[in-house]
Amino acid sequence: MAKWGEGDPRWIVEARPDGTNVNNWHWTEKNASPWSKDKLKSLLEGLAFDVDQGNARTTELSKCEGEATVNNRKAKLIFFYEWDLSLKWKGQHKDSDESITGTVDVPNLSEENDADDLDITVSCKSSSREGHELKDMMRRMAIPKIRSQLEAYIRELKEEYGRNLILPTQQNGSSSPASQPCSSANVPSAQTTTTPEAAPASSGTASSASKVSTSRIEESCQFQAAPEDVYRVFADQERTQAFTRGPAIVESEAGGKFNLLGGNIEGHFVELVRNEKIVQKWRMNSWPSGHYSTVTLQFNSSPSGCHLKLKQTGIPMASMESTREGWHRYYFDSIKMTFGFGSSLM
């Protein structure tokens, strides 16, 4: 046992202006999705482009699906965001009185991709010569501008939105020096041990994790059970321990941890819609340090019970097949055997 005054400073109750979250040790989270939607709308709508052949402007952010959260854990800011965007544009060619319309799509805006790595595609509803020329103009001029605007969104999210999550301490009276923003690659791994010595990933990890080549899977499974019964298997700690046949941590709330299969699977919950949907940041402990995928589980009613749809993005390429097989073997098959929800996989 440590001598008096020599304890781990993370567990020493320090005088704080607000008396909460001592030394910024506990996990706190802000939902940045509403702010992000407004910010993306203001950054992307109304962008104008003008050349000799004609002009065009972005008119509406018609699709903005996804989420963003800002977390503080151990006095470090952790950012999760994943967006699927579609932007309408409208233009006029100098040789035509007809308005020409199209879309710009960005399907992969997330913390796993730098702005330079984003897939941005331009489409045009017109197949005319004028339409092709305006489409080419949008490719040349709009894509770099939109990429720059998305860089601005990421920068403002990190520099401004997470600012108030780091609380002042007695020593500094302001934000902790450790409060520099970091990407999701710096998320500390959930541990089954209760000792406080586990350190968060180093700042160097974020760079390596963000460069991991990734893929995605989409799977489905039919269970002979009501959707609410299958949902509870994933959201209830005792049921999870039953089908994994071992100790597990399942804190079924936004920001809550999960850790199962002997620590081989870990992460935290991003969103829970009771009996309908679960979104997680999910990783295997064999993956590069700090790298998380995004798992979305949809629990849908079907004539025979529950049709479960799984989508997982951000899987390291080398682990794609083992991850796919693991879902079937350690989750789906085991759940059916344990609870009698069996039927053939789809």
Side-chain angles (χ1 to χ4, degrees):
M1 180 178 294
K3 297 180 181 179
W4 181 265
E6 295 181 357
D8 188 331
R10 296 174 295 187
W11 301 100
I12 298 173
V13 179
E14 180 185 11
R16 294 292 305 274
D18 54 11
T20 61
N21 201 10
V22 176
N23 284 328
N24 293 287
W25 179 253
H26 299 291
W27 182 287
T28 57
E29 179 178 273
K30 279 187 177 181
N31 178 9
S33 296
W35 177 92
S36 292
K37 289 180 179 180
D38 290 341
K39 178 58 66 175
L40 289 167
K41 184 180 178 73
S42 68
L43 288 170
L44 297 177
E45 290 185 352
L47 302 177
F49 310 96
D50 195 354
V51 294
D52 291 340
Q53 296 100 322
N55 59 78
R57 65 189 298 270
T58 58
T59 59
E60 180 189 356
L61 183 59
S62 57
K63 181 181 180 181
C64 186
E65 297 179 355
E67 63 198 357
T69 59
V70 185
N71 304 281
N72 167 27
R73 175 62 166 146
K74 300 180 182 178
K76 286 190 178 294
L77 292 181
I78 306 159
F79 297 88
F80 296 113
Y81 52 92
E82 184 173 24
W83 297 103
D84 184 359
L85 309 175
S86 185
L87 189 63
K88 292 182 178 180
W89 63 269
K90 182 178 181 180
Q92 190 80 42
H93 194 279
K94 65 178 181 63
D95 295 334
S96 174
D97 295 330
E98 180 184 356
S99 293
I100 296 172
T101 61
T103 60
V104 181
D105 296 304
V106 187
N108 62 336
L109 175 60
S110 78
E111 77 278 355
E112 296 176 355
N113 298 305
D114 295 332
D116 290 339
D117 298 327
L118 296 175
D119 297 325
I120 303 177
T121 59
V122 177
S123 63
C124 179
K125 292 184 178 180
S126 173
S127 58
S128 65
R129 174 185 62 83
E130 292 84 359
H132 283 300
E133 289 185 0
L134 282 189
K135 179 180 176 181
D136 289 340
M137 179 200 72
M138 289 293 290
R139 283 175 173 168
R140 294 193 312 272
M141 302 181 66
I143 288 180
K145 180 62 176 178
I146 290 171
R147 203 180 296 278
S148 175
Q149 295 297 86
L150 295 176
E151 286 180 343
Y153 159 72
I154 297 170
R155 182 174 62 252
E156 292 187 36
L157 176 68
K158 292 183 176 182
E159 292 179 355
E160 297 182 16
Y161 196 79
R163 184 177 299 162
N164 294 330
L165 275 176
I166 301 295
L167 301 174
T169 65
Q170 184 183 40
Q171 290 180 340
N172 54 37
S174 60
S175 296
S176 166
S179 64
Q180 297 299 318
C182 60
S183 71
S184 64
N186 295 98
V187 176
S189 299
Q191 301 289 338
T192 54
T193 178
T194 57
T195 56
E197 286 78 14
S202 67
S203 58
T205 305
S207 175
S208 60
S210 65
K211 300 301 182 183
V212 175
S213 178
T214 64
S215 186
R216 60 187 289 164
I217 61 173
E218 293 189 15
E219 300 290 310
S220 63
C221 182
Q222 187 69 38
F223 293 96
Q224 293 181 345
E228 54 266 29
D229 293 329
V230 182
Y231 175 92
R232 282 196 290 267
V233 171
F234 288 87
D236 180 77
Q237 181 165 302
E238 291 185 0
R239 287 176 172 83
T240 299
Q241 291 179 151
F243 83 79
T244 60
R245 296 171 175 79
I249 297 172
V250 179
E251 300 172 352
S252 53
E253 60 182 5
K257 297 184 298 184
F258 61 86
N259 187 297
L260 53 145
L261 294 172
N264 285 302
I265 305 298
E266 60 187 10
H268 80 274
F269 291 92
V270 174
E271 179 185 5
L272 298 98
V273 180
R274 188 174 181 83
N275 301 332
E276 295 180 9
K277 178 182 178 182
I278 293 176
V279 181
Q280 301 172 329
K281 287 296 180 179
W282 187 104
R283 62 174 269 107
M284 297 175 63
N285 67 4
S286 59
W287 289 1
S289 178
H291 181 84
Y292 284 75
S293 68
T294 299
V295 167
T296 301
L297 299 167
Q298 293 274 5
F299 304 86
N300 302 315
S301 294
S302 70
S304 60
C306 175
H307 181 69
L308 174 63
K309 294 181 67 176
L310 160 72
K311 181 176 78 171
Q312 186 171 9
T313 61
I315 305 169
M317 288 292 293
S319 301
M320 187 177 69
E321 287 306 317
S322 62
T323 301
R324 188 196 309 272
E325 293 171 4
W327 277 104
H328 287 273
R329 178 178 179 182
Y330 297 109
Y331 280 84
F332 302 158
D333 291 352
S334 185
I335 288 171
K336 291 180 179 183
M337 292 177 61
T338 302
F339 301 103
F341 295 168
S343 72
S344 61
L345 292 176
M346 299 185 66

